[in-house]
Amino acid sequence: MKSNAFLQVFYEIHQAKKQRDLTPKYLNFDTTEDIFLSVYELGKYETYFFLYAECTNFDHFQAWLRELKGVDFLAQAACQFSEWLNRQKTADLVPKYKLLNKAQFQFWEEQGYLRISDLVEPALCEEVKALICRHMGLSLTDPNSWYKSHPDWHGLMLQLYQDESIEAIRKHPNVYQLFSELYGSQDIIANTEKVSFNPPVTDRWEFSAGALHWDIDINKPIEYYIQGLIYLDDVPEDRGPLSVVPGVHLEFDEWIKAYPAFDEAHEVMRRQMKAVPVPGKKGDIIVWRHTLPHAASANYSSLPRFVQYLSFTKL
């Protein structure tokens, strides 16, 4: 494996955290880690799970990487990551606005979210949906198979990251262009995100993941960040669409100052704010500012909801 000094740092810091030593020993570690995981195309959960639950030493970690990604890919990733570490930051290359029109961009600025159609071919959505079914042992014609437990299925989230079908959507040029326009920069990289499976509610299976929330670390500076997902099948209003509270991003920075504890802010937000569902068709991409409260919703239809999450990080 091509040498990457940060690989050893990454391993050692997580070993220290595993031993409850939470003091970072690397400047800007969180930011560097995010870029490292994106360049190496590693899901955060799958990597953390291995490091904290299974890994015995650094050689074991390297062997896991080789098996997961392959030697040739790791050599290319090491070069790319080294170039990023050593580069001189230049002015952002602003993308040409090819996908979003003026009305869409204005809606994004005012409401904080956006639904965009026809960016990804339906066949690519079908391939990821088929992958989820294979991985979980599901049959769309057998509803009993939809509720069997699986070690990678946590709530609605399926911790599945590595497959060519997932990569085809994550690296789709239209997906890159969309995020590039919203970030106002071509200098972005796709994060390796998970997928999701949300079966219909029944007398024996209750929906338990619908609380509005923010995916924010309030102890760090709140920067401009975009979350997203793609519907892999039609998601009408009764099939568990994403729900958001439009416009909150415009007042979030001031609003949050009134609450010393983030848990308290969540409690007040859930009492005072009302979410709206964002249904869509197969291939529709939903993006939202991460300062917008959001949640999945209960599926009261006759079919499961399939989703792939999408996000990018600025380099």
Side-chain angles (χ1 to χ4, degrees), residues 25 49 57 96 230 235 257 269:
K25 299 178 176 64
F49 181 83
N57 53 48
K96 297 178 180 179
I230 182 170
V235 182
K257 291 177 182 178
M269 175 268 291

Side-chain angles (χ1 to χ4, degrees), residues 100-167:
L100 298 179
N101 58 42
K102 185 176 180 180
Q104 288 174 315
F105 204 79
Q106 182 176 353
F107 187 92
W108 169 257
E109 292 294 331
E110 294 175 354
Q111 303 299 317
Y113 76 98
L114 198 58
R115 178 175 64 86
I116 311 97
S117 301
D118 303 322
L119 297 188
V120 173
E121 299 84 345
L124 296 181
C125 297
E126 282 296 319
E127 290 176 7
V128 178
K129 190 173 78 169
L131 169 70
I132 294 171
C133 290
R134 290 195 304 272
H135 190 80
M136 296 185 68
L138 309 175
S139 169
L140 292 180
T141 60
D142 179 13
N144 290 326
S145 70
W146 302 346
Y147 303 95
K148 295 178 180 178
S149 62
H150 190 284
D152 296 332
W153 188 34
H154 306 154
L156 305 182
M157 305 304 177
L158 181 61
Q159 305 298 338
L160 178 61
Y161 302 87
Q162 306 292 335
D163 191 82
E164 290 181 356
S165 61
I166 296 175
E167 183 177 330

Side-chain angles (χ1 to χ4, degrees), residues 21-49:
D21 177 4
L22 304 181
T23 304
K25 299 178 176 64
Y26 190 94
L27 185 63
N28 298 323
F29 175 76
D30 290 344
T31 299
T32 307
E33 177 189 63
D34 287 343
I35 303 300
F36 164 77
L37 292 172
S38 294
V39 169
Y40 278 74
E41 297 182 11
L42 299 170
K44 185 169 285 189
Y45 177 88
E46 65 179 347
T47 307
Y48 283 6
F49 181 83

Side-chain angles (χ1 to χ4, degrees), residues 210-236:
L212 283 168
H213 64 280
W214 290 286
D215 299 307
I216 293 175
D217 186 346
I218 203 66
N219 296 312
K220 298 177 182 178
I222 306 300
E223 299 179 347
Y224 179 66
Y225 186 74
I226 302 165
Q227 295 177 264
L229 58 78
I230 182 170
Y231 289 148
L232 302 175
D233 218 339
D234 290 351
V235 182

Side-chain angles (χ1 to χ4, degrees), residues 1 42 46 50 54 59-74 162:
M1 183 184 299
L42 299 170
E46 65 179 347
F50 177 77
E54 299 178 352
D59 288 341
H60 191 196
F61 179 45
Q62 290 183 301
W64 178 78
L65 286 174
R66 286 193 295 269
E67 182 177 359
L68 186 68
K69 304 302 300 183
V71 174
D72 291 342
F73 174 87
L74 292 175
Q162 306 292 335

